[in-house]
Structures are given as structure tokens and as C-alpha cells.
Amino acid sequence: MISNELRRFIHKNKKPLLGVVILLAVVLAFLGGSILSLIHNKMELKKLTRQTIQLEEEYQQLTKRLKLLKQEDPHYLEHLARTRYHMTKPGEIEFRFEQP
């Protein structure tokens, strides 16, 4: 497993190696929470960035719809009347099918 050279090195340098291990343990004890917090914050930032992009797209769509409503675009108003309010032109018959 461990070579003889490594065993001799560890045996000769016990105190400095122990000091390094203790120093690493102390650093991890103090900074470990900060590192986890940093990772969590980066993940949250990515999530919020995606959400911001999605909301920006939704805002653009709603702004476009509002503009069409304000302009009283006849094609858009007809589309709304037919799809949202199930209105028909005189003489038309609307067929509705339930989703399975």
C-alpha cells in the first residue's frame, strides 16, 4: 500500500505534517460554511437569472397584446372573441370537444 519512502518521509516530518493538517482543519472550520454559502448563492443566482429571462419574455408578450388591444386590431379582437369567449359569426356553428 504505502511505499517505504513515503513511510520514512511521514515518520521524519510528523510535526510539520500534523501542523498542516491542523491548519487545514481550522481553515475548513471557519471557511467551510462560507464556501457552502457561496455555492448556494451561485445556484440561486442562476435560478433567478433564468426566472428573470422568463419574466422578461412574458412581459414582452403582454406588452404586445396590450398594444394590439389599444390599437383595436380587428384580427386580434376577433381571435380573442372566438378563442376566449367562444363567439361565432352569424350562421356559424361552433363545435366543442372535451379533452380525454
Side-chain angles (χ1 to χ4, degrees):
M1 287 189 214
I2 300 176
S3 70
N4 286 334
E5 291 180 26
L6 184 57
R7 285 184 187 185
R8 277 187 252 132
F9 177 79
I10 292 172
H11 186 67
K12 286 182 181 178
N13 299 305
K14 280 184 184 179
K15 288 184 182 180
L17 288 174
L18 183 62
V20 168
V21 168
I22 291 173
L23 179 64
L24 284 173
V26 169
V27 167
L28 283 176
F30 285 108
L31 297 179
S34 297
I35 292 171
L36 291 176
S37 178
L38 178 65
I39 292 169
H40 178 267
N41 288 344
K42 284 194 175 244
M43 289 171 41
E44 185 74 15
L45 178 62
K46 285 182 181 180
K47 176 184 163 189
L48 291 174
T49 302
R50 284 191 305 264
Q51 187 178 8
T52 301
I53 291 169
Q54 179 184 359
L55 289 173
E56 292 270 344
E57 289 172 358
E58 185 179 344
Y59 173 77
Q60 293 299 326
Q61 291 173 357
L62 290 172
T63 304
K64 182 178 177 181
R65 287 173 56 193
L66 179 63
K67 182 179 176 184
L68 290 172
L69 284 172
K70 284 184 177 180
Q71 291 175 348
E72 296 183 11
D73 182 0
H75 297 291
Y76 184 67
L77 293 176
E78 180 182 353
H79 171 74
L80 281 180
R82 289 176 174 273
T83 58
R84 201 173 276 179
Y85 302 109
H86 307 289
M87 298 176 86
T88 59
K89 291 182 179 180
E92 286 184 336
I93 299 173
E94 179 180 3
F95 293 95
R96 295 184 198 174
F97 300 97
E98 291 186 21
Q99 296 292 330

